[in-house]
């Protein structure tokens, strides 16, 4: 009996020690997290963020392990890793339902879309296609607390150089009067109908309905105007298409059109593109427009064959690069362009 009691007491002691150890680790983690937040004050003050704002929000923050897990589970892929076919992606992202909802959004916003296009040169359908791809026309904009998510990812440190500026930008938004309840979005910080990062909102958000506020969470007018403003700053060229679908002759010497420079960014994306040639040069090589339409002869374009030789290919202008600036993925940019074309028809 005595032996059983001793064993029980020892077991209870071990549990208590374990519990104390876990509590101690949690306490140390909390101290480290709060110390990190306090280290941001000088930079926040330099941005004009008031101490009262920082005091109020810092007191509410705790780390969110879920966003760290989501960040660490992001798929990789080297610059020269095999690329899957685009066609399965196209079928699920440029489907009848998305096109139908896009046409509804397009018709409902025609007056403001036409005005924005006249001001910026960004086509109405491109604005609608971005809106559709990012949030399914406002149906889902994310449900993560931006400040908590970005504070966690910044503190964790693996990609602090990316997330810390976005955390500070979100704090600036809060200090500017954007309600905390509105600062909701993806786990990585994208928010609102256009899924802007906070720094992009501060830099390029635009009032589209004239009420003096930039509300990309509730105002379609503000969201569409902000999307167009993004593309203006990304270098969109008025009157030029994003690209055209083409067929390529089987005998095309692909080595002769290979890109000659190494991409400065997004190697996995740009390594799939040919070098730049004019539309006239592509025609002389036997490339044929699938729709029969050709941009002007001097327009420069690169060739992309996302499903390999013998399948639909695309000649892509500098406006395609503007879409890549929004999201550096060939599949994303192609589907935006194709959805825009379908919505406009």
């Amino acid at each position: 009996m005595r032996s059983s009691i001793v064993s029980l007491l020892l077991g209870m002691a071990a549990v208590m020690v374990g519990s104390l150890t876990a509590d101690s680790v949690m306490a140390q983690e909390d101290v480290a997290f709060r110390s990190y937040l306090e280290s941001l004050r000088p930079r926040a003050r330099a941005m004009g963020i008031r101490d009262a704002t920082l005091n109020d929000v810092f007191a509410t923050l705790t780390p969110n392990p879920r966003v760290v897990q989501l960040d660490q589970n992001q798929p990789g892929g080297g610059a020269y890793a095999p690329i899957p076919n685009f066609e399965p992606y196209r079928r699920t992202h440029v489907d009848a339902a998305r096109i139908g909802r896009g046409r509804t959004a397009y018709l409902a916003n025609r007056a403001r879309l036409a005005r924005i296009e006249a001001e910026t040169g960004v086509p109405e359908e491109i604005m609608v296609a971005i809106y559709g791809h990012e949030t399914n026309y406002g149906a889902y904009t994310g449900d993560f607390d931006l400040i908590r998510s970005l504070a966690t990812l910044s503190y964790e440190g693996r990609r602090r150089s990316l997330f810390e500026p976005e955390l500070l930008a979100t704090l600036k938004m809060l200090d500017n009067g954007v309600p905390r309840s509105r600062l909701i979005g993806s786990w990585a910080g994208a928010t609102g109908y256009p899924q802007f990062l906070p720094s992009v909102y501060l830099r390029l958000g635009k009032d589209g309905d004239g009420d003096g506020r930039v509300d990309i969470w509730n105002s379609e007018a503000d969201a569409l105007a902000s999307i167009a403003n993004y593309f203006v700053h990304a270098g969109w060229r008025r009157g030029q298409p994003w690209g055209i679908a083409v067929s390529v002759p089987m005998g095309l010497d692909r080595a002769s059109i290979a890109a000659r420079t190494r991409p400065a960014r997004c190697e996995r994306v740009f390594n799939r593109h040919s070098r730049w040639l004019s539309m006239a040069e592509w025609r002389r090589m036997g490339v044929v427009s699938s729709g029969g339409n050709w941009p002007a002869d001097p327009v420069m374009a690169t060739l992309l064959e996302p499903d390999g030789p013998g399948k639909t290919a695309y000649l892509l202008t500098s406006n395609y690069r503007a879409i890549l600036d929004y999201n550096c993925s060939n599949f994303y940019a192609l589907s935006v362009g194709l959805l825009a074309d379908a919505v406009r028809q």
Side-chain angles (χ1 to χ4, degrees), residues 96-116:
R98 199 180 299 256
I99 293 169
R101 288 192 295 270
R103 287 174 177 163
T104 299
Y106 177 66
L107 293 173
N109 289 281
R110 278 309 307 280
R112 61 174 58 109
L113 285 167
R115 174 179 55 79
I116 296 169

Side-chain angles (χ1 to χ4, degrees), residues 277-286 294-299:
L277 295 170
S278 71
M279 291 292 175
E281 289 174 304
W282 287 117
R283 282 206 309 276
R284 285 197 293 270
M285 289 184 175
W294 279 95
D297 283 356
V299 172

Side-chain angles (χ1 to χ4, degrees), residues 23-33 155:
D23 289 344
S24 176
V25 169
M26 290 178 63
Q28 291 175 2
E29 185 75 8
D30 183 68
V31 169
F33 179 65
Y155 166 69

